Amino acid sequence: MIEAPMDAADTEGEDAADRKVVEQERAELKAFVKGLSADDIKSGNWFTKLMAQAMSSYTEKVDWRYFQERYQGVPADAIVDQRIKMAARYAALEGGLSAGAYTAAVVATLGSLGGASAATVPAAVATMMVDVAFITRLQLRLTYDIAVLYRVPLDLSDPDDLWKLIRVAFTIKSGEAVREGVAKAVPALVRPLIKRFFSGEVLTAARALPVVGKHLLQRNVIKIGIPLVGVPLAVILNRYTTLLAGRHAQAVFRNEARVIEIAENLSKQSRHPRSMLWVAWLVIRANRKIADDEALLMRHLVQKVRERHQVVDEQLAHLVDIDPTEVWRRMDAEQGDLSDLLDVADRVATVDGDVNAREKAVISELRERCRRV
């Protein structure tokens, strides 16, 4: 992502510096777009190529140490907040530079892609693609930065982690959640535009990068239109969609960091790590449905117990239905104070919100058995 001081203010000098950096980024992306064919744009393959260009060297450079050197001692929340605002500012500046190209002629030219040769991209479409590529790369890198700052590991060579980055960055399968927060997040004048941007079919296709490219291109076509109250649509949409994407990424990765922290603390405090895993899973399965945060906690809890206590429970890993009797038997075989297991049950039950009746029943039985021991 573009680098700037954390405490950047809206002074004329800093605005000029920001504009210069944005123009440099645009120049770089113009060269990228020049290398695209009409087929790349129509098929969505431009996104596959942009991912390789945008993230390969970036992930090698940007890690936790990278931010520590620049913002040592500053809490992650403060850095994330400033980087979201910075990204939104750059997005608006870029939108202003691109807005002049968004005319009715561009709409007509988009249709002409069907008749363009495989190696030819009309100039108007190329201009639009610079804008789309700029915002796409900006939001990808912003999302990655936020994950790094909250110490949520993302290995982009892993298909699952790559798709997670894309899904969070572009609110794929999360459009409803973003739309619900629109009313409070943006000025009233802008809300219809943002709702329209995030409306329509939510991408649920297989993890194919060209499919994502088509989705993003279709979504960005909304920026081609008549300026609203003298302010180009591109400026408005670039700014607020980037702001909302950043806030969405912050909510997702901050929550995951919270769950990881719970798993780390439970593992650190446990005197009975093997039984702890059984108790945690018993509480999670009490309600029969497994919430996302519960599944996330169990995954990290198993990982932390393996790393800290060198415990790998194959019997639990192959379990289909958990029998409370087996958990009680394991507890009866333990020595010493079992209050740490009760703490585990309490934390697991609240990780996804309020404790339900079935979870309360399990914890009540657990408390009684701890007293007997």
Side-chain angles (χ1 to χ4, degrees):
M1 189 177 148
I2 304 167
E3 191 57 72
M6 255 193 62
D7 56 353
D10 291 332
T11 63
E12 288 186 11
E14 286 168 340
D15 280 348
D18 289 348
R19 186 183 181 92
K20 183 179 179 181
V21 174
V22 169
E23 288 174 341
Q24 289 172 345
E25 292 276 314
R26 276 173 52 84
E28 182 183 326
L29 287 168
K30 281 178 184 177
F32 165 77
V33 170
K34 193 175 290 185
L36 297 176
S37 68
D39 283 346
D40 286 333
I41 296 173
K42 285 187 294 181
S43 67
N45 196 48
W46 66 270
F47 181 71
T48 306
K49 294 185 174 183
L50 183 68
M51 280 292 299
Q53 187 257 25
M55 302 307 295
S56 56
S57 59
Y58 190 76
T59 55
E60 293 175 4
K61 173 187 175 185
V62 177
D63 56 15
W64 174 248
R65 289 183 296 275
Y66 173 88
F67 289 113
Q68 276 291 91
E69 291 172 2
R70 286 157 180 76
Y71 312 120
Q72 189 170 10
V74 181
D77 282 344
I79 306 172
V80 168
D81 183 72
Q82 290 301 309
R83 292 189 81 78
I84 291 172
K85 290 174 181 175
M86 180 179 71
R89 188 167 67 249
Y90 286 138
L93 284 169
E94 195 283 330
L97 294 172
S98 295
Y102 287 141
T103 64
V106 178
V107 181
T109 311
L110 273 173
S112 73
L113 269 178
S117 69
T120 304
V121 177
V125 175
T127 302
M128 182 198 71
M129 284 305 301
V130 170
D131 177 34
V132 175
F134 183 99
I135 297 303
T136 299
R137 186 168 76 170
L138 183 71
Q139 292 180 0
L140 276 170
R141 289 180 173 178
L142 173 63
T143 301
Y144 182 79
D145 288 350
I146 292 171
V148 170
L149 283 162
Y150 284 122
R151 302 197 190 192
V152 175
L154 285 181
D155 176 6
L156 299 193
S157 64
D158 182 327
D160 287 340
D161 280 2
L162 177 63
W163 181 245
K164 182 177 182 177
L165 174 74
I166 294 169
R167 188 180 69 241
V168 174
F170 306 119
T171 63
I172 294 171
K173 295 186 182 180
S174 304
E176 288 299 332
V178 172
R179 286 196 290 276
E180 287 169 6
V182 162
K184 296 180 180 178
V186 300
L189 186 67
V190 186
R191 288 172 200 164
L193 289 172
I194 302 296
K195 286 180 179 178
R196 186 179 164 196
F197 185 87
F198 286 112
S199 67
E201 185 178 352
V202 178
L203 181 63
T204 58
R207 304 178 186 187
L209 298 187
V211 175
V212 178
K214 283 184 176 181
H215 173 76
L216 295 177
L217 191 56
Q218 290 166 1
R219 201 162 79 166
N220 276 271
V221 168
I222 190 178
K223 288 189 284 192
I224 303 171
I226 301 171
L228 180 73
V229 198
V231 180
L233 293 176
V235 174
I236 293 172
L237 285 172
N238 280 12
R239 174 177 174 77
Y240 284 106
T241 56
T242 299
L243 190 66
L244 288 173
R247 296 299 181 208
H248 175 65
Q250 182 179 28
V252 170
F253 290 122
R254 193 180 194 282
N255 180 65
E256 184 161 349
R258 173 187 69 88
V259 174
I260 292 173
E261 187 175 82
I262 291 172
E264 175 66 37
N265 289 337
L266 290 178
S267 174
K268 187 187 302 181
Q269 296 163 10
S270 177
R271 297 183 295 275
H272 310 89
R274 193 177 294 271
S275 290
M276 175 182 71
L277 295 178
W278 284 81
V279 166
W281 190 235
L282 180 64
V283 173
I284 289 171
R285 295 300 289 148
N287 198 35
R288 293 183 173 85
K289 294 180 180 179
I290 305 174
D292 289 345
D293 284 348
E294 291 177 326
L296 184 64
L297 175 61
M298 194 64 193
R299 179 163 66 87
H300 285 292
L301 198 57
V302 168
Q303 178 187 335
K304 298 299 181 184
V305 166
R306 181 175 66 246
E307 293 171 354
R308 181 176 291 275
H309 302 282
Q310 290 75 53
V311 169
V312 178
D313 196 318
E314 293 294 342
Q315 186 178 347
L316 180 63
H318 291 98
L319 198 66
V320 176
D321 290 323
I322 187 165
D323 182 358
T325 305
E326 174 64 15
V327 181
W328 309 143
R329 184 189 68 76
R330 288 172 175 272
M331 287 183 59
D332 290 342
E334 293 284 12
Q335 301 295 319
D337 182 7
L338 301 183
S339 60
D340 58 314
L341 297 178
L342 191 56
D343 290 340
V344 168
D346 287 334
R347 295 302 301 276
V348 171
T350 58
V351 72
D352 63 331
D354 294 335
V355 184
N356 60 55
R358 288 176 176 169
E359 290 170 337
K360 287 178 180 177
V362 170
I363 294 172
S364 178
E365 175 69 15
L366 179 65
R367 182 176 289 107
E368 182 61 32
R369 289 179 177 275
C370 286
R371 284 174 183 165
R372 291 178 196 167
V373 174

